[in-house]
Amino acid sequence: SEGLLIDGSTIAGNLSAGAAGGVRMHNSSGSSAAPRNVLIRDSNFLSNQAETQGGAVFADAGFNLAIENSSVTENRAITSHGGGIYLDGSAATITGSQFTANQATAGSGGGVFSQNSGSLDITSSTVAENVALVGAGIYKVLTGDDFLHISGSSILANRAEHASLATSAAGIYLDGGSAAGNSREFTLTNSTVANNQSRATSDASTADNTVGAITLNNIALATITNSTISSNSADDFDGAIRVANSGTVTLVNTTITANESRGAGWGAVHNINSTIVAHNTIIADNLSTDPSGDVLLSHLDAASSHNLFGESVGDVGVLTGAGNSKLQPGQRLGLSESGADGGGTWAHVRL
C-alpha cells in the first residue's frame, strides 16, 4: 500500500485553524481502502497548535502509523482532543519515543488520543507531563477487536485537571464500550505508572469517578505484569486503579504503593462489577480517608495468591489462595533496584 516517510525532520511552531497543528493524514478513500503506511522516524514535533484535534499529528481512518525514536513536545489541541496526536480509526505503533508536556485542556488525551477501530501499541517510550480533562497521558476507546499494549514504558506526572467531571483519569483512560462478548484487551508490561494526578480545579467539584493512574471501563481482558504503579493521586476518588464493568483483570508481579485518594475513594484498587485476580503482587502503603487505603479483600478474586497487602486492607474478606500475607504494624515498603519483588522495574520491598 502507499506510504509516507517523515525522517530526521523537525516540525515546529505551526498553527492550524482546524485540526492538525503539524501533520494531517487524510484518507479520501475512507476506512474501506487498504491501510496506508506512515513512518515517522528520528523526528521532532515541537510547539505546534491546532484549534481542534491533534496538536502535532492528526490521522483519520485507514492508516498504519509507526512513530520511532521521535519526540512530541509542548503541542496543544486548543478546544478538543489529542494534544500530541489524534488517531480516529487508524492503528499506531510507538517505539522509543517521548510525548512530553502536550495539552488538551478542553478535551481528552493530552499525549495520545485514539478511537474508532485502531489498535495502539507503545513500547520503550515515555508519556510524561501531559495535561487534559480525561486521559491526560493516554486516552483510548476500544472498538471491534482493538487493543492497547504498553511495554517497557513510563507514564509519568500527567495531570487530569477538571472543575466538575463525572469520569476522568490522569495516566491512562481506557473504555471498551459494551463489555459483553467483546475481545478488547489491555496489557501493561515491564512499565511504570507514577506521579500522575487527577486534580479538581474548583472547590465545588462534584466529580466522583476520577482516578490518578488507570481507569478501565468495559474491557474484556486486562493484564498488568512486572509493573510498578506508585505515587499517583486523585483529589476526588481513586488513587491508582479503577476497574468497572469489565471481564478479568490480572495483576502479576506488580507493585501498587504510595497512591492516594484525597476524596471518598480507594487508595489503590477499586473494583466495580469485574473480576480482579492478583498473584505475586504488592498492594500496600496506599492512602485514603474512606473507605480503604489499599483494597477491599472482597474486591479481589478468592484465588489470588502469594500477595503482600498493607495494614489498611479493608473488610474481613478471606483469600483462599496460597501465600498471601500482610505487613505487620510499623512495617513499610522501601525502594529496591533489583526488582526482586514486584517485577523487573524498580520495586518496593518490605523493610
Side-chain angles (χ1 to χ4, degrees), residues 69-73 94-100 102 124-128:
N69 304 319
S70 296
S71 64
V72 180
T73 307
I94 298 169
T95 306
S97 297
Q98 292 76 45
F99 288 74
T100 307
N102 302 287
S124 302
S125 296
T126 299
V127 180

Side-chain angles (χ1 to χ4, degrees), residues 135 137-138 148 150 155 169-174 186 188 193 212-216:
I138 300 166
L148 170 59
I150 301 173
I155 315 298
I172 302 165
Y173 183 91
L174 193 57
F186 168 66
L188 180 73
V193 183
I214 301 171
T215 291
L216 303 176

Side-chain angles (χ1 to χ4, degrees), residues 73-87:
T73 307
E74 295 182 354
N75 302 281
R76 185 182 179 201
I78 298 172
T79 64
S80 190
H81 312 303
I85 64 172
Y86 179 96
L87 305 168

Side-chain angles (χ1 to χ4, degrees), residues 260-272:
E260 181 178 5
S261 167
R262 300 189 181 105
W266 281 253
V269 181
H270 187 183
N271 178 3
I272 302 172

